[in-house]
Amino acid sequence: MVRGELLFDGNVKQVYATDDPEMVLFHFKDVATAFNNVKKAVFPNKGIVDNKISSYIFEYLKRNGVSTHYVEMVNDREQLCRKICIIPLELVVRNYIAGSIADKLGIEDGTKAQTVIYDLYYNNDALGDPMINDSEAVAIGLVSFKDLEIIYSTARKINGLLLDLFGRAGIKLVDLKLEFGKTSGGEIIVSDEISPDTCRFWDSATDNRLDKDRFRLDLGNIVASYEVVLDRLESLNLE
Amino acid sequence: MVRGELLFDGNVKQVYATDDPEMVLFHFKDVATAFNNVKKAVFPNKGIVDNKISSYIFEYLKRNGVSTHYVEMVNDREQLCRKICIIPLELVVRNYIAGSIADKLGIEDGTKAQTVIYDLYYNNDALGDPMINDSEAVAIGLVSFKDLEIIYSTARKINGLLLDLFGRAGIKLVDLKLEFGKTSGGEIIVSDEISPDTCRFWDSATDNRLDKDRFRLDLGNIVASYEVVLDRLESLNLE
């Protein structure tokens, strides 16, 4: 597999073409960003830990029948992924109400949601990634209602699988962000990454934060906390 | 029917108790407000026109099988309504994308929506009436999913009926805001008002605005425009 042209140079990740037109290479940088890139910093090894956690989770999902863009980890910082056409939506699945959503709803941070919350955002930097809903997304042509059915049922399945996985690792899955794309054959699959950059992970016993809130809230020990997540996952004895 | 205690003194409407514990009296003031009450002004006779339009629409909905809180118009400024327990949600139904939503979605003002948009807002002044979605509303205990099914199906029916009514009046129904409440028996019915204060009405031929945007956007002729709506409705020959 030959690394080709740089297709996308993001703050945290780069995407390269490969010699297979159906495949791309994801490269994880040592960067953290928050608040729509207003806050940004470098943390040595962060990209390696993110790559390993996301690869671990995508392999776990694959074994459990969930289609993602992930093919295999190529090295410490890179993974081979299926090329997809990005659906410009982010779906945040919340088991607990934490972060800005708690302020928005006037609810205490960390409150268990009485039902799982599914929040859809329009992934559009120029518009500030606004929250939208199903009918808005369809009305402006981003997806069809049929696409959304697949997206929500996939998200529901992933949340169930990850609640189980992280429960066994002594970690509360507070929320997770999912992105999706369409393959050249039109299949909708999970894309991007699933890691402490895109989820809230709280230690089950102490509520200690093991995710990007350590950066957002200046709590320190960012990479060390991400490593706790990786260590706990790797020490699980999965069937 | 005796007018009792003032139960609610809003910017635009007052609600009084009556001698029937199941009934209240809505009184329409001559006030317009916009942008969460930041902009506010008095327009003589506005309350009368609002009361007449809203009464006309609620009577039309009743004849077509939609339950609302409206019982009857008592005088030029007042209507008798069933007392309800307010559900703190606003549902905006959009046939066209106009106003702040157009900016949010990066769409030209007045674009026809490819599917009808249903936007839910949490009616909570302290929180700034944020946009929410079904799962959030259920997760914080505002409604049940069953309640939302009734609310959406009622909204769909109302939108269909009003598209027909206003189409015959030469008026484009751009969007409408609905509020709902529960009766003492637990029935979910439409509450508040349906008027140029809560809808966007554009002249079908000219796109001239006949609603509260005349106030929001300082277009003048506010009450005269509301009267155009009332005159056109009253000149319809409904079965």
Side-chain angles (χ1 to χ4, degrees):
Chain A
M1 196 270 309
V2 177
R3 178 198 286 205
E5 184 193 354
L6 178 62
L7 300 175
F8 171 76
D9 191 11
N11 284 305
V12 178
K13 289 191 294 281
Q14 293 173 317
V15 182
Y16 292 91
T18 70
D19 48 357
D20 181 341
E22 295 288 327
M23 297 286 167
V24 291
L25 198 68
F26 266 60
H27 178 100
F28 288 74
K29 298 183 187 177
D30 282 341
V31 176
T33 65
F35 311 120
N36 280 333
N37 302 321
V38 169
K39 189 170 179 176
K40 188 174 167 178
V42 171
F43 299 97
N45 292 323
K46 176 179 171 295
I48 294 174
V49 185
D50 277 334
N51 184 32
K52 287 182 176 175
I53 293 173
S54 198
S55 294
Y56 182 100
I57 292 173
F58 279 149
E59 288 190 357
Y60 167 78
L61 292 177
K62 185 200 272 178
R63 283 199 304 279
N64 286 281
V66 177
S67 292
T68 77
H69 73 157
Y70 173 85
V71 177
E72 61 181 358
M73 204 165 90
V74 173
N75 59 48
D76 271 4
R77 289 194 178 274
E78 291 173 325
Q79 49 184 255
L80 190 67
C81 295
R82 291 172 71 182
K83 190 171 181 177
I84 48 99
C85 181
I86 290 170
I87 296 173
L89 294 173
E90 298 182 357
L91 180 61
V92 179
V93 184
R94 304 179 192 276
N95 300 302
Y96 294 81
I97 297 170
S100 59
I101 188 85
D103 297 331
K104 187 189 91 163
L105 297 174
I107 297 284
E108 194 188 352
D109 196 81
T111 304
K112 188 154 181 25
Q114 291 178 33
T115 187
V116 177
I117 292 175
Y118 295 87
D119 282 339
L120 205 60
Y121 299 88
Y122 182 12
N123 201 340
N124 185 315
D125 279 349
L127 299 174
D129 300 336
M131 179 175 170
I132 65 169
N133 63 29
D134 296 8
S135 58
E136 287 182 352
V138 173
I140 64 171
L142 304 182
V143 276
S144 68
F145 284 116
K146 180 88 190 126
D147 292 340
L148 286 170
E149 265 179 47
I150 296 168
I151 286 170
Y152 284 111
S153 72
T154 305
R156 198 170 301 119
K157 181 168 184 184
I158 291 173
N159 189 45
L161 288 166
L162 294 189
L163 279 171
D164 182 52
L165 178 72
F166 283 94
R168 285 194 273 169
I171 291 171
K172 209 189 255 186
L173 179 63
V174 172
D175 55 40
L176 68 153
K177 185 191 79 173
L178 297 172
E179 295 187 22
F180 296 86
K182 273 192 184 171
T183 65
S184 57
E187 188 194 1
I188 292 177
I189 61 175
V190 178
S191 63
D192 198 50
E193 65 177 291
I194 300 179
S195 76
D197 266 12
T198 63
C199 302
R200 282 192 174 83
F201 296 132
W202 294 6
D203 181 277
S204 299
T206 64
D207 275 356
N208 191 25
R209 284 149 198 260
L210 304 171
D211 56 58
K212 201 166 79 172
D213 271 345
R214 300 205 72 82
F215 175 61
R216 288 191 194 93
L217 307 173
D218 297 314
L219 300 175
N221 291 322
I222 292 161
V223 177
S225 300
Y226 283 33
E227 280 167 348
V228 169
V229 174
L230 180 59
D231 290 346
R232 291 206 198 164
L233 288 175
E234 288 184 337
S235 67
L236 289 177
N237 192 2
L238 297 181
E239 300 300 286
Chain B
M1 197 269 309
V2 178
R3 178 198 288 206
E5 184 193 353
L6 178 62
L7 300 175
F8 171 76
D9 191 10
N11 283 305
V12 179
K13 289 191 293 283
Q14 293 173 316
V15 182
Y16 291 91
T18 69
D19 49 356
D20 181 341
E22 295 289 327
M23 296 288 167
V24 291
L25 199 68
F26 266 60
H27 177 99
F28 288 74
K29 299 184 188 176
D30 281 342
V31 176
T33 65
F35 311 120
N36 279 335
N37 303 321
V38 169
K39 189 170 179 176
K40 187 173 167 177
V42 170
F43 298 98
N45 291 323
K46 176 179 171 295
I48 294 173
V49 185
D50 277 333
N51 184 31
K52 287 182 176 174
I53 293 174
S54 196
S55 294
Y56 182 100
I57 292 173
F58 279 149
E59 288 190 357
Y60 167 78
L61 292 177
K62 186 200 271 179
R63 284 199 305 278
N64 286 281
V66 177
S67 293
T68 78
H69 73 156
Y70 173 85
V71 178
E72 62 181 357
M73 203 166 91
V74 173
N75 59 50
D76 270 4
R77 290 195 178 273
E78 290 173 325
Q79 47 184 255
L80 190 67
C81 294
R82 292 171 72 182
K83 190 171 181 177
I84 48 99
C85 180
I86 290 170
I87 296 172
L89 294 173
E90 297 183 355
L91 180 62
V92 179
V93 183
R94 304 179 191 276
N95 300 301
Y96 295 81
I97 297 170
S100 59
I101 188 85
D103 298 330
K104 187 190 90 162
L105 297 174
I107 297 284
E108 194 187 353
D109 197 81
T111 304
K112 188 155 180 23
Q114 290 178 34
T115 186
V116 177
I117 292 175
Y118 296 87
D119 283 338
L120 205 60
Y121 299 89
Y122 182 12
N123 201 340
N124 184 315
D125 279 349
L127 299 174
D129 299 337
M131 179 175 169
I132 65 170
N133 63 28
D134 296 8
S135 58
E136 287 182 353
V138 174
I140 64 171
L142 304 182
V143 275
S144 68
F145 284 116
K146 180 87 189 125
D147 292 340
L148 286 169
E149 265 179 46
I150 295 168
I151 286 170
Y152 284 111
S153 74
T154 305
R156 197 170 302 118
K157 181 167 184 185
I158 291 173
N159 189 45
L161 287 166
L162 294 189
L163 279 170
D164 182 54
L165 179 73
F166 283 94
R168 285 194 273 169
I171 292 171
K172 208 190 259 187
L173 178 63
V174 173
D175 55 40
L176 69 152
K177 184 191 80 173
L178 297 172
E179 295 187 22
F180 296 85
K182 274 193 182 171
T183 64
S184 57
E187 189 194 0
I188 293 178
I189 61 176
V190 178
S191 64
D192 198 50
E193 64 179 292
I194 300 179
S195 77
D197 266 13
T198 63
C199 302
R200 281 191 175 86
F201 296 132
W202 294 6
D203 181 278
S204 299
T206 64
D207 276 354
N208 191 25
R209 286 150 198 259
L210 305 171
D211 56 57
K212 201 166 78 172
D213 271 346
R214 298 205 75 82
F215 175 61
R216 289 191 193 93
L217 307 173
D218 297 314
L219 300 174
N221 292 323
I222 292 161
V223 177
S225 300
Y226 284 31
E227 280 167 348
V228 169
V229 175
L230 180 60
D231 289 348
R232 291 209 197 161
L233 288 176
E234 287 183 337
S235 67
L236 290 178
N237 193 1
L238 298 181
E239 298 301 284

